[in-house]
Amino acid sequence: LTPDLIRELHQRKTAIYAALIRDGHLSLRPGVARLLGEAREAGLRLALATSSARSNLETLLDMNLPAGWRDWFDAIESCDSVPAKKPSPAVYEAALRGLQLPPTACIAFEDTLNGLRAARAAQLVTVITTHRYTQSRQFPGAALVTDGFGDPDAPCKLSQGTLGPERWVTVALLRRLLDGASREQMKPSAEGALA
């Protein structure tokens, strides 16, 4: 494959994806809008970090969120602003700079192994929501693996980690994941304990 052919194929894929969204064939996964609303109500800062084209991201969110959704996010990074694709951590590092927050204060949401690798390389606690192509995969290093964010009337199915009493992903659960990661980092290593 030549660079020109790769670029042409990517542009064609982007156009097909955008058409699927516009035609109503693709929507947000269950629980995404609820969790975004909950995070905003809690005053959490939000960022988007994707290897997808920004035009695809904007089309998806324009079709599924209220006008003005762009104002919800302190940073929006895509392959248009950060050419290095996941598993490179570059897009996450750019989003963290935009947020002006350390990785220890943030959680990444991913659905692929390359995404997990990128997030973990950026030192982010990571929640995986699987889909039909990734539901049978293992995600070592993820803090939580579920089949989605779930909702009160449709709990998510847990594959790895602990949900707690809610049975769906909430801001309270995310805070517990961050707290747990902080406590884990503070533990002395076996090597340090023996020194």
Side-chain angles (χ1 to χ4, degrees), residues 9-71:
L9 289 171
H10 188 264
Q11 288 171 346
R12 180 73 181 131
K13 178 191 81 93
T14 298
I16 291 169
Y17 183 78
L20 287 170
I21 295 168
R22 280 192 306 274
D23 293 343
H25 296 291
L26 297 174
S27 60
L28 296 179
R29 294 171 70 190
V32 171
R34 175 198 50 79
L35 188 57
L36 279 171
E38 191 179 320
R40 291 181 66 229
E41 285 177 20
L44 299 181
R45 299 185 53 214
L46 303 171
L48 295 167
T50 179
S51 287
S52 295
R54 181 157 179 155
S55 61
N56 283 348
L57 171 71
E58 290 181 339
T59 302
L60 177 67
L61 298 182
D62 283 342
M63 298 293 291
N64 291 282
L65 292 177
W69 65 262
R70 286 167 185 81
D71 296 335

Side-chain angles (χ1 to χ4, degrees), residues 56-127:
N56 283 348
L57 171 71
E58 290 181 339
T59 302
L60 177 67
L61 298 182
D62 283 342
M63 298 293 291
N64 291 282
L65 292 177
W69 65 262
R70 286 167 185 81
D71 296 335
W72 300 1
F73 299 92
D74 291 318
I76 300 176
E77 301 294 343
S78 69
C79 67
D80 299 304
S81 58
V82 181
K85 293 194 182 280
K86 298 171 185 176
S88 166
V91 74
Y92 278 117
E93 291 165 347
L96 288 166
R97 283 191 298 275
L99 287 169
Q100 298 181 342
L101 290 172
T104 54
C106 302
I107 290 185
F109 300 97
E110 278 294 345
D111 62 355
T112 66
L113 192 53
N114 275 346
L116 173 63
R117 289 176 177 148
R120 296 300 297 141
Q123 301 176 5
L124 292 162
V125 170
T126 308
V127 171

